[in-house]
Amino acid sequence: MTRSKLIYNVVAVLLSTVLVGSVSAEVSIGSEDALQPALSEKELAAILSDPVINEFSQYSGNAFDDDTVRFWASKAKKAHQSLNTDTLDASKYYDVVLQVGHYPRKKGVTGGEGELVIEQEIAALVATLVREKLVSKLNVVVIPADGYKQNIKTKIFLALHTDSAPLSKSCQLGPSIGYNDNTDALGMRFLAFALARTFNYDLSKFMSDNYTKGLRSYYAFKHFNTTMFEGVLEMEELTCPEKERNLLVGADDLATNLALALELATKEPEV
Ligand SMILES: [Zn+2]
């Protein structure tokens, strides 16, 4: 088993464990047989102790002050202002196409707004950082929401977004992933794992995959010829001030973990 294959299995197991844990609390004993995870606890422990798991940096839990938050908010604004999107070349085969959600729309569906930054700004920051970290290793490009060349061949297409909720319902949404068929599920869950690891989230805090229709039927999926997987990552609920601050301060760690996950994923044999 290759190392990245191993990690893929870890993610699958972690997710099934989470699901089994949350479901079995509500069902009567006797129906649990059907919910057993694929691996035994011993096998799971062996996988979790693999050094690859520790290559993903983990949220330190340190408190941060307002200055640190402002620093990252201003970095996000700069990343948005000076974003260099890439021109796609139909003769190339890309490893990763990253799309900055809603960028640079000024009307129509322009994206969500937090207290400190707008969705386009935090998405621009994370996309820029991921590209920076991968550019020497993979053929990675960053594209806007509209006007890019279509039918481009790439291993992975990933759109970066944040979620929004009305004020009366803020701080109830977790991160989520969206994709249009099961061939994308493992890859996207792997990215969800990278995000969960960054913020020390239990994966049960995520929304169900494709919890909104827009996630499953994301408009740009049909614009790319992906050979591995395509999906949307809703990194966090931007309308929750606490989560917004966390996402800003953790943006670089998130980019590191996403870059590592994308790097490992592109090493998978293609199906
Ligand atoms: Zn969005």
Side-chain angles (χ1 to χ4, degrees):
M1 198 184 276
T2 65
R3 294 189 101 200
S4 60
K5 193 80 191 166
L6 188 76
I7 289 294
Y8 263 57
N9 284 323
V10 172
V11 176
V13 170
L14 284 176
L15 284 158
S16 61
T17 306
V18 166
L19 292 175
V20 168
S22 59
V23 175
S24 61
E26 287 158 29
V27 298
S28 61
I29 300 164
S31 36
E32 277 177 16
D33 284 353
L35 301 167
Q36 288 304 309
L39 297 187
S40 70
E41 277 185 34
K42 205 174 155 195
E43 287 166 316
L44 177 61
I47 287 174
L48 286 174
S49 64
D50 188 275
V52 175
I53 281 289
N54 293 317
E55 287 176 27
F56 285 88
S57 54
Q58 196 164 14
Y59 182 59
S60 61
N62 286 337
F64 44 81
D65 56 21
D66 288 348
D67 284 347
T68 308
V69 176
R70 273 194 289 270
F71 170 82
W72 284 101
S74 108
K75 260 192 120 69
K77 286 178 192 303
K78 277 181 206 145
H80 181 258
Q81 275 157 19
S82 59
L83 182 65
N84 284 316
T85 52
D86 297 283
T87 305
L88 296 173
D89 179 346
S91 69
K92 281 194 180 149
Y93 176 24
Y94 295 96
D95 291 311
V96 182
V97 174
L98 293 169
Q99 186 184 49
V100 179
H102 313 278
Y103 176 86
R105 292 179 190 158
K106 294 215 160 47
K107 54 181 185 193
V109 188
T110 54
E113 251 179 81
E115 274 185 356
L116 303 161
V117 292
I118 61 169
E119 178 174 355
Q120 291 187 22
E121 291 167 341
I122 184 67
L125 176 62
V126 175
T128 307
L129 291 169
V130 172
R131 178 173 57 184
E132 247 171 57
K133 291 168 199 290
L134 284 178
V135 76
S136 62
K137 299 171 184 168
L138 300 179
N139 197 348
V140 54
V141 285
V142 171
I143 63 159
D146 309 287
Y148 46 84
K149 196 172 280 175
Q150 300 188 3
N151 301 315
I152 294 292
K153 197 177 176 196
T154 180
K155 289 182 180 171
I156 297 169
F157 168 82
L158 174 66
L160 294 170
H161 284 259
T162 54
D163 225 335
S164 301
L167 194 59
S168 61
K169 290 187 177 162
S170 70
C171 299
Q172 289 173 34
L173 297 175
S176 58
I177 51 175
Y179 47 86
N180 59 359
D181 64 60
N182 284 338
T183 61
D184 307 312
L186 204 54
M188 286 308 297
R189 285 178 183 182
F190 191 39
L191 299 182
F193 162 76
L195 188 145
R197 178 84 179 180
T198 309
F199 298 109
N200 205 14
Y201 276 155
D202 184 322
L203 284 163
S204 65
K205 292 214 176 87
F206 278 58
M207 312 304 286
S208 318
D209 291 5
N210 292 315
Y211 91 103
T212 63
K213 235 191 246 163
L215 282 170
R216 189 189 297 277
S217 55
Y218 190 68
Y219 73 101
F221 289 161
K222 59 180 178 296
H223 298 162
F224 289 89
N225 173 8
T226 49
T227 54
M228 296 192 84
F229 62 88
E230 68 238 304
V232 178
L233 180 65
E234 299 271 10
M235 299 179 283
E236 191 50 282
E237 184 202 320
L238 200 63
T239 43
C240 178
E242 193 189 316
K243 292 178 173 183
E244 181 188 24
R245 290 161 62 93
N246 251 319
L247 179 60
L248 280 167
V249 175
D252 191 56
D253 286 336
L254 174 61
T256 299
N257 282 351
L258 287 177
L260 177 57
L262 289 166
E263 192 189 345
L264 289 168
T266 52
K267 286 180 187 156
E268 278 294 285
E270 289 173 42
V271 193

